[in-house]
Amino acid sequence: MGAQKKGGGARVSEDAVEQSRQRLQAILLADSFATKFRPVTLERPKVLLPIVNVPMIDYTLAWLESAGIEEVFVFCCAHSMQVIEYLEKSEWYSHPNLLVRTIESHKSISAGDALRYMYEQQTETSQIQGDFVLVSGDTVSNMPLADLIKEHRERKKKDEKAIMTMVIKQSKSSPLTHQSRLGTDQLFIAVDPLTKQLLHYEEDKVDHPSGSVCLEKSLLDTNPSVLVCNDMQDCYIDICSPEVLSLFEDNFDYQHLRRHFVKGVLVDDIMGYKIFTHEIHSSYAGRIDNFRSYDTVSKDIIQRWTYPYVPDINFSGNRPLKLGRQGIYRASDVVQSRSADVGASTVIGYGTKIGNGDKISNSVIGNGCSIGSNVVIEGSYIWNNVTIEDGCEIRNAIVCDGVKIRAGAVLQPGVVLSFNVVVGRDFVVPAYSKVSLLQQPTTEDSDEELEYADSSSGTADHLSGLNLQMESKASELGPDGAGYIWEACEGAHDEEWKHSVAPIPKDKLFEITQAIDDDDTDDESVVPTSGELKSDADSINTDVNDPNDDYYYFEKEVEGTVLRAVEENIKVDLVTLEINGLRLSYNMESADCAGATFYSMIKLAVDTPHNSASELYKNAASIITKWKELLGFYVKKIDEQIEVIMKFEEMCQESPKELGPLFTQILHLLYDKDVLQEDAVLRWAEEKAGADEADKVYLKQCETFIQWLKEASEEEDEDDEDEEDD
Amino acid sequence: MPDVQSTVVEFVNKLRKRKIEGSQATAKCTVELLRSVISHQRVPHANQAAALIDAVKAVGEQLVAANPVELAVGNVVRRVLHIIREEDLSLTTAAMGGLDLLDASDDDDVDNCKGIGYPAMSAAVVAAAARSTLRPPSLQTLLEGTPESATVPYTSSSGADSESKSKSADKSSLTRKLKHDVIEGVNQLIHEIAGCHEQIAEQAIEHIHQNEVILTLGSSRTVLEFMCAAKEKKRSFRVFVAEGAPRYQGHLLAKELVARGLQTTVITDSAVFAMISRVNMVIIGAHAVMANGGVIGPVGVNMAALAAQKHAVPFVVLAGSHKLCPLYPHNPEVLLNELRSPSELLDFGEFSDCLDFGAGSGSIQVVNPTFDYVPPNLVSLFITDTGGHNPSYMYRLIADYYSADDLVM
């Protein structure tokens, strides 16, 4: 209670004290800014959803408190009233060691917005005084934070630019689905093994569906060693310095913590901010991001990985359950029939009645439920005050508060029943369907939408794909049922099984296995081995010998331009202008222009119908004569002229029958038309002199021409000398 | 009072989060907390003892519920309750002696100083007498008895001096007296808990002999002190330390022992049976001792006890008096074990792929119990701060420390 006063009026006088010893603060985002938990989150905020019968936020707060955090700012967005009400009722507001404050903002639609709002508030009230822990309200963890914060502070002292420490944990992702246990996409990170600095961060699906990773070449230049891992799980627990808030303020387009912020910091080398990682080994950390991670984390809690935040310990005012054999947690007042078969890893809450012949395994059943006779419940999560009548079958489903399931109904794997839904007698709810009393929304106008409104383009599509179901759906769940079955939006339907509570069906696994086999063969043929190390930076790739895509397209464009110019008889100036534009947009040099222009001209000549070699020569001659100015514009230097000859030689090699015999003639023509100077031809001859015999074919062909040129130049020289003599 | 309340909540939180480890530390914190509860408790004129008992019980219930596995909390709470009852009783008998001189029919006065309202004075005296005869004449009660009997003349004389004023003066002095005496008693308990290591270690020389081989398991401060005491008395012996997987606290103990100059050998838990034939005595520290003489100790202890029995090696348990629990292990209210996180056994990352991905049936289950129960027939000797005892004597010792009224809280 003393701590609470400190937060209030007495703050000013204690400023000096606090300067010397910074309070440990945390920002808890009580909103996931995602749509994964719909339709449940339409009625209740995600952080208040029970996981093993305790609201998620209690796990997070209990952990923060015991990790030594003294002040938590709970940032409420969607359903903020519910969150605040809950906190008021719970013991968190009167906690002696932990000062819980709530911040409300209805405008924020992403984590970025939330942090910007915090920053604005901060300038007024200076709430965040130093380094803080940034977590989301759906984190279940038992890791110690004090040492990590100390480590972060010390690093910050040494290096001003180290603004964030990210917590990661080893967790193998499935080789089949490229998914972690928590149903998130496979994560690739690159870390400097010595300093633990984060160098690269990439979520598989978002960035590269193919499964290859591109690293910046400069990473390898600046770091002696780089550790690339794909068996890490991002815990979404960050130790941040105050700079993080101002960074969000500066970059108003940052929305997502990882996709935008982390990547932005990694790419941006102007400010030079650095992010470091911290790997935890013995302690647990997991974030409930989707229904699959809800399932996984629940199991981890039951298996006690999260100790001491387990159901038989009263860690946050919850009533502790009693742990029996085989990991069965049972409240003391459970009424259970003798003939009921309660299997391993099951949790049964207070005041729940279990009827005759029930079979329950791997499930969590909340408080005040009544379960009839001969009910089968497997791998499901039944929340509070649920009524299940005789003979129902429930497999891998989530059933929210107040649901009634009438006799004989069947829930197939992956079903989610939102609050107070009634499933009719003998009705079979199809797999992966989501049922709610509320209709599927179509627009983003309501307040509740904030829970899942995400400004990224992906979600916009997601929302537009939802269609309003206008017809009355009272009979959708059987004659005496109540609720709407939500239609999965297109595209997301295939993903449904990925994020569902149900285990991945065998046929899907089989499909994926096959797809992977196909992928493997594809990869070998399509991606060259050098592709693994292909650099992102274009500037390095200037070598002409490279099979350069850019050059190919450039050549095509130039060819098109020249063709059009010839057909429409456009002025030379305009064509030059156009080619110059292309040159700039493709970042080419003028030698490339010369090569490409000449190439297109000869190509044009070849493409023009002709019967004999002499006819072809005539064509070529006419085109060259006509457009020599264009060519001449680019061949002012000797190098460029050599480029043209080389290009020509290349073309002749490609079509030796047609063009081959004409090589000398056209070369001579070019010389005559002053496109090429004799120096260029001679230099070319010199360069070629050392080449292989195969390359010398055309050199030999025009030997006489070169000889003649040489003699001519000697004569000229003599003339010059003569003149000098005079 | 709010201060006390907040410290109670803080302590409850620590217990819940399992932040305090070891029964001695827990016992110490508990008894200090209870002392402050008592000193801050306003005592009404009527039924002072009952008020104190209620206050302590209320706090005690919270503490026990916070961590039912840590039996030391409940033990200490019961000890404090017992102290209150004892002090109250002795004051009552003392006042009785004084009141004989006063108006014998003044029921009001009598009721004030009694914990449980006896219908008549004679009945109270009889009950008190019955209690003292029921109790075995242990050394402690005899020692405690002397100063209290000395207080009798004081109260009686003050009462005799001024009969008319005596009632009010009596009341206030009695009030203060009770609280003062109780706090005095609690201080003694604190002292006792703090000093239990030395008390036990003093007896080391009688149990450890020259050139013996001692086996221990896990880590216990009491065991450490015990062995060091023997070492200081120039006994030369060898210690085998079973490492105590999965927390490997035996490693810490081994380090400490080596630092104090003892010949130490570390073995795995699974090698205990192989080594036991060379061992002269097994000495372990207990987490709690139950009323039937059974022992709750670190996991693996039962195995060591069975091995010792097989080879007829004495199995000695060291336990401070705060570890004596008045409950029986078959009591369903007693939580004997706690399952900790499997991360102490397995690396989460290494096994994450076979934990539960895909099909739910083929996943790993990991159980990591903290404690083990050793039945009384496997224990040869208990060494407490009051000396060595047989397992069958435990109930007697417990009757010394606890009131029967407090067994069920």
Side-chain angles (χ1 to χ4, degrees), chain A residues 280-402:
Chain A
I280 50 173
H281 294 280
S282 61
S283 34
Y284 182 85
R287 180 170 174 233
I288 302 151
D289 182 53
N290 49 43
F291 285 122
R292 176 170 300 288
S293 47
Y294 180 88
D295 176 56
T296 319
V297 173
S298 296
K299 279 179 181 150
D300 290 341
I301 292 171
I302 293 170
Q303 299 272 332
R304 307 180 74 81
W305 288 98
T306 57
Y307 181 92
Y309 311 110
V310 286
D312 62 327
I313 293 180
N314 167 5
F315 56 88
S316 71
N318 54 317
R319 292 169 79 184
L321 306 172
K322 205 151 172 117
L323 173 61
R325 302 231 167 222
Q326 289 187 298
I328 300 172
Y329 299 82
R330 208 183 310 230
S332 47
D333 61 351
V334 167
V335 180
Q336 184 186 333
S337 157
R338 274 183 186 278
S339 57
D341 175 13
V342 175
S345 305
T346 299
V347 178
I348 302 171
Y350 283 89
T352 291
K353 292 190 186 73
I354 295 170
N356 298 320
D358 291 349
K359 285 193 170 62
I360 301 173
S361 62
N362 287 313
S363 299
V364 176
I365 296 169
N367 304 332
C369 297
S370 87
I371 297 169
S373 306
N374 301 315
V375 173
V376 177
I377 300 177
E378 257 177 39
S380 300
Y381 299 89
I382 317 277
W383 295 359
N384 301 330
N385 304 317
V386 173
T387 310
I388 300 172
E389 293 181 1
D390 298 354
C392 292
E393 275 185 43
I394 299 173
R395 291 201 163 82
N396 303 104
I398 291 181
V399 179
C400 296
D401 291 5

Side-chain angles (χ1 to χ4, degrees), chain A residues 18-304:
Chain A
E18 281 177 26
Q19 292 272 307
S20 59
R21 195 194 67 89
Q22 277 180 337
R23 295 168 70 83
L24 293 180
Q25 293 176 313
I27 297 179
L28 187 153
L29 300 175
D31 195 331
S32 56
F33 307 107
T35 62
K36 303 262 177 63
F37 268 84
R38 286 197 316 166
V40 183
T41 44
L42 282 185
E43 289 164 72
R44 196 187 280 187
K46 184 175 153 196
V47 291
L48 295 188
L49 302 184
I51 181 156
V52 195
N53 296 343
V54 177
M56 292 179 193
I57 196 169
D58 278 355
Y59 286 94
T60 317
L61 285 173
W63 159 60
L64 288 176
E65 190 270 320
S66 76
I69 302 292
E70 289 152 287
E71 192 171 12
V72 174
F73 297 95
V74 178
F75 191 92
C76 312
C77 203
H79 304 292
S80 56
M81 280 321 292
Q82 281 192 45
V83 177
I84 291 168
E85 234 169 72
Y86 175 78
L87 288 174
E88 270 166 3
K89 265 193 232 159
S90 71
E91 56 185 39
W92 290 116
Y93 267 145
S94 57
H95 204 280
N97 298 334
L98 184 72
L99 180 60
V100 177
R101 299 175 185 218
T102 44
I103 294 169
E104 250 183 289
S105 159
H106 293 285
K107 287 178 292 179
S108 308
I109 53 160
S110 70
D113 285 341
L115 293 178
R116 276 186 281 279
Y117 185 81
M118 286 293 298
Y119 183 78
E120 283 160 23
Q121 295 289 306
Q122 188 206 357
T123 48
E124 290 161 26
T125 57
S126 72
Q127 287 165 324
I128 297 290
Q129 290 141 355
D131 300 325
F132 61 95
V133 182
L134 179 62
V135 292
S136 127
D138 47 14
T139 310
V140 177
S141 175
N142 60 359
M143 67 171 289
L145 282 174
D147 290 346
L148 179 57
I149 293 172
K150 214 170 120 195
E151 191 188 307
H152 174 80
R153 280 185 181 158
E154 263 159 29
R155 192 186 292 133
K156 182 83 196 305
K157 234 179 260 171
K158 272 185 233 153
D159 186 353
E160 278 288 304
K161 302 289 184 190
I163 54 163
M164 187 163 122
T165 306
M166 230 168 85
V167 176
I168 53 171
K169 180 166 180 60
Q170 194 196 359
S171 172
K172 287 177 186 165
S173 51
S174 156
L176 283 184
T177 55
H178 295 293
Q179 260 192 324
S180 73
R181 293 176 66 238
L182 298 178
T184 49
D185 296 308
Q186 194 170 12
L187 176 72
F188 290 100
I189 55 170
V191 179
D192 185 327
L194 295 175
T195 61
K196 302 289 176 207
Q197 189 188 342
L198 181 72
L199 304 172
H200 189 75
Y201 184 97
E202 179 166 322
E203 278 162 310
D204 187 42
K205 199 176 86 188
V206 183
D207 305 298
H208 288 275
S210 62
S212 68
V213 191
C214 287
L215 289 181
E216 193 91 40
K217 223 181 218 170
S218 56
L219 281 188
L220 300 170
D221 293 343
T222 48
N223 298 286
S225 53
V226 175
L227 184 69
V228 182
C229 339
N230 72 341
D231 59 348
M232 288 298 169
Q233 171 195 320
D234 189 347
C235 301
Y236 288 89
I237 298 166
D238 303 321
I239 318 296
C240 305
S241 296
E243 284 90 337
V244 171
L245 286 182
S246 55
L247 255 181
F248 266 99
E249 183 68 17
D250 295 345
N251 297 279
F252 53 86
D253 55 334
Y254 283 176
Q255 304 290 353
H256 192 271
L257 276 179
R258 293 288 183 262
R259 240 171 274 157
H260 300 125
F261 175 72
V262 168
K263 290 202 153 177
V265 169
L266 288 179
V267 168
D268 172 31
D269 44 4
I270 298 167
M271 300 298 283
Y273 284 131
K274 293 172 189 166
I275 296 175
F276 288 83
T277 57
H278 176 85
E279 193 185 340
I280 50 173
H281 294 280
S282 61
S283 34
Y284 182 85
R287 180 170 174 233
I288 302 151
D289 182 53
N290 49 43
F291 285 122
R292 176 170 300 288
S293 47
Y294 180 88
D295 176 56
T296 319
V297 173
S298 296
K299 279 179 181 150
D300 290 341
I301 292 171
I302 293 170
Q303 299 272 332
R304 307 180 74 81

Side-chain angles (χ1 to χ4, degrees), chain A residues 65-66 172 304 314 503, chain B residues 16-17 19 339 348 352 358:
Chain A
E65 190 270 320
S66 76
K172 287 177 186 165
R304 307 180 74 81
N314 167 5
Chain B
R16 272 184 195 167
K17 305 262 167 66
K19 284 240 173 122
L339 302 182
F348 180 84
S352 57

Side-chain angles (χ1 to χ4, degrees), chain A residues 575-588:
Chain A
V575 181
T576 358
L577 210 62
E578 202 161 322
I579 293 177
N580 268 345
L582 287 173
R583 178 174 80 98
L584 291 174
S585 68
Y586 281 91
N587 195 17
M588 293 293 163

